[in-house]
Amino acid sequence: MIHRKGDFIFPVEIAIAFDNGERLREHWNGGDVKDRWIRFTYKKKAKVETVEIDPDHKIQIDRDNFNNSHRVEPDGSATSKLTNYWTFMTNSSPNSWRGGWYRSEIV
């Protein structure tokens, strides 16, 4: 189901990826004032893995691009990458928590 959150009606492309590798593109005209959502139904054995609105990033007036995609199964790779990056940066910088030239002492 695709849901339009704002009042601006705009046609969008939707990319759907299935677990068997198949990919589809759908088009939605954005509905009218009353219809704020649309449901796409597929009769397949394959399950939907991901859905992305505006996969080519043509719409520049979208306020929040982070709500344009959804994964059926959560993917923790982004969280792991950010955690590793944060750990590396805090442990390797001279201003790290364990000391360095920024350290203050009571004498």
Side-chain angles (χ1 to χ4, degrees), residues 24-72:
L24 290 177
R25 289 276 182 130
E26 297 284 356
H27 180 81
W28 182 42
N29 66 0
D32 59 17
V33 176
K34 294 179 185 177
D35 297 328
R36 297 174 93 45
W37 60 273
I38 187 169
R39 182 184 309 263
F40 294 101
T41 307
Y42 304 100
K43 294 183 179 180
K44 300 176 176 261
K45 290 184 179 181
K47 294 181 180 180
V48 173
E49 277 191 338
T50 62
V51 176
E52 184 176 5
I53 299 170
D54 187 30
D56 301 323
H57 308 290
K58 294 179 182 177
I59 302 172
Q60 300 297 319
I61 58 174
D62 192 353
R63 287 184 184 175
D64 184 8
N65 287 325
F66 291 111
N67 65 357
N68 285 358
S69 62
H70 179 74
R71 291 186 76 82
V72 175

Side-chain angles (χ1 to χ4, degrees), residues 45-107:
K45 290 184 179 181
K47 294 181 180 180
V48 173
E49 277 191 338
T50 62
V51 176
E52 184 176 5
I53 299 170
D54 187 30
D56 301 323
H57 308 290
K58 294 179 182 177
I59 302 172
Q60 300 297 319
I61 58 174
D62 192 353
R63 287 184 184 175
D64 184 8
N65 287 325
F66 291 111
N67 65 357
N68 285 358
S69 62
H70 179 74
R71 291 186 76 82
V72 175
E73 296 293 326
D75 182 10
S77 62
T79 305
S80 297
K81 184 176 182 179
L82 287 173
T83 302
N84 290 337
Y85 180 76
W86 175 255
T87 304
F88 173 77
M89 293 304 291
T90 56
N91 288 333
S92 64
S93 75
N95 295 335
S96 68
W97 295 108
R98 56 193 164 105
W101 61 268
Y102 185 70
R103 190 172 166 182
S104 61
E105 297 178 352
I106 298 175
V107 181

